[in-house]
Amino acid sequence: MTKMHSLSVSKTFIGKTMLKAIPLTLALAFAQAAYADKTQFVTQAPSVAQQNAFERYGISDELLKLGLSSLSHGDQMVEHVQRQFDVGGEVTESEVFLVQSTDHKGNIDLRIKYDESKLDSKEDVIGNIEKITKIEYRLKNYLESFDKSSVIVNELSPEVVEISFNYSKYGLPQDIAYFRFMRVKLTVINGQATQMEITNSKPYDYEGYRVEQYSQKVNFTTLANGKTVIESKKIEATGNKGQRAVNYSSTIKPVAFYDNELGTLVIDQELLSTVSDPRIREEKVDLDRLFPLMGDLVRQQGIDVPMPFGFSVAYRNQDMNVGFDSFDIMGLNLDEFFDPSSSIGTVNAESYTLRADINILPFWNVYGLLGKVNVDAVVDAQYTGKMKDVFEDKLGVIGGKLACSAVAGAGVDLCSPGEVSVPLHLDYDVVGIGTTLSVGYKEFFASVNATYSATRLEGQDNWGDGILTIQPMVGYQFLDSRAQVFVGAEYQGLKATMSGNLGYIDALGRDFTYDVGVELEEWAYLVGFNKQIGKNYNITALYNKGETRSSFTINFGYRF
């Protein structure tokens, strides 16, 4: 008979079955594909002196908003839009009308009306204009869409004043964040705004195009009641798409609108007759979105609100060292035979998860996730060799030695201390729900993310006990690059005692139950970054490090 220092698990059924139970419950900890939630909102506080610069020259917030959205004109309005688009010498031209009406409850009905013969078939004109008008609609209620700290007043003469400013880095939504590169010059003559010119300070990307130069000139006129309205708007942009040069121009002109004091004002009767022709086709633009609730209220304070819906996929790889303090298998305490203090489990778990989320409120996100967890583990249990004492108690000293020799001859040395090495590979399903709360000020933000999840061994019906994971973090965002870095901690609420039932075992004639005491550190440090790619995509990377575990996570998401 051969005496072995290390006992093979394949030769010891009870050792294999006992230790297989350990990774089952530990896998609950690995199901948490950690997400650094990007749902934060930021604001800024203007000074009184900066605010008075506009008040001193009679410039209202409503006038400043006209640079972003002509929908601020009034509740009832008709506009005429002419567009020309040149991409690598391929020119498309189109002409449409925008008709806006608002009911007594404030609900807006916006329609695009057009003569089909004046739309270029090579371009989705209606779809592109619908995108633009949706953005303008969202911007029309921004009261803090400009950066008051950037205001510069240049008095050219007693009659002529130029006021320059930038749009806010903080108050602009993700999908129109390119406005942070814009510089505005407003000309005021004898107390009346006459022109607003918006130009870019640096190139930027928009819808797959690289915009090198952008210019928007808005000419104003003053009505008899003193109200300032848009007389015309001209937009010109040049850039490229890949290797092809791009030139874009559009002219927007009011056709008619309604003023509460002056009534209906017709600016161009011929165009009004054209848009009133019953042969004109129309498309309705769906403007209102239910989520996030209170989104408009938050936007009016100049606060960025993320897009409400999102999907993301994540990969997480976690290594963990697990200590033990008791082994109780099927009601039998085995601490006499396996020393918990000298036993350790080395576990690697890979998880793949899909997450869907929604922003219920601007600062509150909820989500659900599902996925797979693959566990590879090696459990090194220290065998005490106490079976020698059992044999001697039952058979006497000589009989005990003979029994030890007999089992050793069969290839299993039960009478000598040794290490039971148990390699395991287990696959699990995982489901979970979670929520994130976020808050921020200027470039700084803080958030708390909580997830509750459970796993199920493939091929079984029963789900294991749930586990709570909490991630508090603080961070800093680089506004121009739409990137965030953050630090924090991660809590994994593993129980000190793991118990469960592996189901009926034919060889035992009963269910296999277990109750294993473990020693784990619940907290770990967390660092990471998030980068927005375009207006819809983002990528997040996390790294965790604690006394008993380390992990990294990659998450790729899409918001809409």
Side-chain angles (χ1 to χ4, degrees):
M1 286 183 278
T2 304
K3 181 175 180 179
M4 297 182 298
H5 180 68
S6 178
L7 300 179
S8 169
V9 65
S10 63
K11 304 296 176 113
T12 310
F13 170 79
I14 189 169
K16 176 179 179 179
T17 314
M18 173 188 70
L19 295 168
K20 185 176 181 180
I22 299 169
L24 171 63
T25 47
L26 287 179
L28 294 173
F30 311 139
Q32 310 307 312
Y35 295 86
D37 201 277
K38 286 69 61 181
T39 311
Q40 69 267 356
F41 56 97
V42 291
T43 186
Q44 62 174 345
S47 68
V48 175
Q50 293 157 354
Q51 214 163 8
N52 289 340
F54 289 93
E55 295 176 358
R56 186 164 67 249
Y57 296 100
I59 306 303
S60 65
D61 286 331
E62 285 70 22
L63 177 63
L64 295 174
K65 288 187 293 181
L66 289 176
L68 287 173
S69 173
S70 58
L71 294 180
S72 300
H73 244 166
D75 294 338
Q76 323 294 331
M77 178 190 68
V78 180
E79 282 187 316
H80 178 246
V81 182
Q82 289 181 302
R83 303 168 72 248
Q84 186 182 76
F85 206 20
D86 182 346
V87 181
E90 296 183 10
V91 180
T92 60
E93 296 182 338
S94 60
E95 178 181 343
V96 300
F97 294 90
L98 300 179
V99 181
Q100 172 192 343
S101 60
T102 308
D103 63 21
H104 65 283
K105 295 182 179 180
N107 299 314
I108 292 179
D109 182 278
L110 182 61
R111 299 177 184 270
I112 301 174
K113 293 195 173 186
Y114 59 95
D115 180 343
E116 199 166 21
S117 66
K118 295 183 179 181
L119 297 183
D120 198 302
S121 60
K122 292 180 290 186
E123 181 192 2
D124 182 13
V125 178
I126 300 301
N128 290 334
I129 291 179
E130 185 174 355
K131 290 180 183 178
I132 296 172
T133 52
K134 283 182 177 181
I135 290 174
E136 288 205 357
Y137 167 75
R138 292 174 51 215
L139 290 174
K140 78 184 190 70
N141 288 325
Y142 273 63
L143 298 178
E144 301 292 341
S145 56
F146 62 93
D147 181 3
K148 293 183 173 61
S149 65
S150 68
V151 175
I152 298 176
V153 178
N154 185 14
E155 295 184 351
L156 301 179
S157 70
E159 295 81 20
V160 182
V161 176
E162 287 184 350
I163 304 176
S164 301
F165 60 92
N166 298 330
Y167 282 104
S168 172
K169 294 181 179 181
Y170 304 107
L172 294 174
Q174 297 172 7
D175 51 351
I176 52 114
Y178 55 87
F179 259 92
R180 66 187 180 276
F181 299 121
M182 300 301 175
R183 181 70 178 169
V184 183
K185 182 174 68 175
L186 179 65
T187 302
V188 180
I189 300 177
N190 294 322
Q192 299 292 333
T194 60
Q195 188 182 78
M196 177 185 287
E197 184 175 2
I198 304 173
T199 56
N200 61 315
S201 60
K202 62 171 68 174
Y204 62 91
D205 295 319
Y206 175 74
E207 295 287 344
Y209 298 91
R210 180 67 173 176
V211 181
E212 298 291 340
Q213 292 184 327
Y214 175 91
S215 173
Q216 175 177 310
K217 292 183 179 180
V218 184
N219 293 316
F220 298 107
T221 187
T222 303
L223 302 179
N225 61 356
K227 181 179 180 179
T228 300
V229 296
I230 292 178
E231 186 176 46
S232 65
K233 179 189 291 188
K234 177 75 173 181
I235 298 175
E236 294 182 332
T238 61
N240 58 76
K241 184 174 186 179
Q243 301 299 320
R244 295 183 295 174
V246 176
N247 293 278
Y248 172 82
S249 65
S250 68
T251 301
I252 300 96
K253 180 182 178 181
V255 175
F257 61 89
Y258 179 81
D259 182 79
N260 290 331
E261 297 179 12
L262 303 178
T264 301
L265 300 176
V266 178
I267 310 301
D268 192 313
Q269 183 61 57
E270 182 179 352
L271 289 176
L272 183 60
S273 300
T274 300
V275 75
S276 302
D277 191 319
R279 292 171 295 180
I280 290 288
R281 296 174 178 267
E282 70 175 44
E283 296 284 344
K284 188 177 185 301
V285 181
D286 294 322
L287 296 171
D288 297 299
R289 305 187 74 168
L290 177 60
F291 295 105
L293 303 176
M294 299 174 57
D296 287 340
L297 178 62
V298 173
R299 292 188 185 102
Q300 291 172 17
Q301 309 307 314
I303 298 173
D304 187 0
V305 177
M307 295 184 208
F309 306 103
F311 288 98
S312 57
V313 291
Y315 168 79
R316 175 164 173 147
N317 189 301
Q318 178 163 308
D319 292 311
M320 178 178 285
N321 294 324
V322 181
F324 305 99
D325 57 25
S326 68
F327 293 126
D328 191 320
I329 304 299
M330 300 179 66
L332 299 175
N333 188 293
L334 301 181
D335 293 352
E336 181 181 359
F337 300 97
F338 296 93
D339 183 8
S341 63
S342 300
S343 301
I344 190 170
T346 303
V347 184
N348 174 263
E350 291 182 312
S351 66
Y352 306 85
T353 53
L354 172 66
R355 187 179 90 155
D357 70 274
I358 180 175
N359 289 322
I360 303 297
L361 295 171
F363 51 85
W364 178 32
N365 178 275
V366 296
Y367 57 86
L369 62 88
L370 57 87
K372 296 286 187 179
V373 180
N374 303 323
V375 177
D376 287 296
V378 176
V379 179
D380 295 320
Q382 188 64 41
Y383 179 63
T384 63
K386 290 293 185 179
M387 280 303 297
K388 177 182 177 181
D389 297 338
V390 174
F391 287 154
E392 291 181 352
D393 287 343
K394 299 294 184 180
L395 304 174
V397 175
I398 296 176
K401 289 181 178 181
L402 292 174
C404 288
S405 298
V407 295
V412 180
D413 189 352
L414 296 179
C415 299
S416 301
E419 186 178 86
V420 179
S421 184
V422 186
L424 295 173
H425 176 81
L426 301 171
D427 296 316
Y428 297 90
D429 299 317
V430 58
V431 295
I433 57 173
T435 186
T436 302
L437 295 175
S438 304
V439 68
Y441 176 76
K442 291 192 175 181
E443 292 91 350
F444 301 95
F445 66 91
S447 67
V448 177
N449 183 56
T451 306
Y452 184 82
S453 63
T455 58
R456 178 181 62 186
L457 186 64
E458 286 189 359
Q460 294 195 358
D461 297 328
N462 297 327
W463 290 87
D465 294 336
I467 177 176
L468 177 67
T469 299
I470 301 175
Q471 295 170 320
M473 63 187 74
V474 295
Y476 179 89
Q477 64 175 339
F478 301 92
L479 298 170
D480 288 343
S481 59
R482 288 282 162 167
Q484 298 94 29
V485 295
F486 44 86
V487 297
E490 181 182 78
Y491 168 84
Q492 289 186 349
L494 290 168
K495 295 188 297 184
T497 300
M498 297 183 180
S499 59
N501 188 333
L502 291 181
Y504 187 82
I505 304 296
D506 290 335
L508 300 176
R510 55 181 293 193
D511 286 353
F512 186 96
T513 60
Y514 62 91
D515 192 342
V516 180
V518 297
E519 297 175 350
L520 293 171
E521 178 61 40
E522 295 177 326
W523 286 95
Y525 296 107
L526 177 154
V527 296
F529 76 90
N530 173 66
K531 177 67 175 72
Q532 183 180 325
I533 305 171
K535 70 176 184 178
N536 297 104
Y537 298 94
N538 60 271
I539 185 169
T540 303
L542 294 173
Y543 177 73
N544 295 85
K545 180 64 176 177
E547 290 186 13
T548 58
R549 73 176 188 267
S550 64
S551 66
F552 68 88
T553 305
I554 298 294
N555 176 47
F556 184 75
Y558 174 80
R559 302 209 68 80
F560 59 99

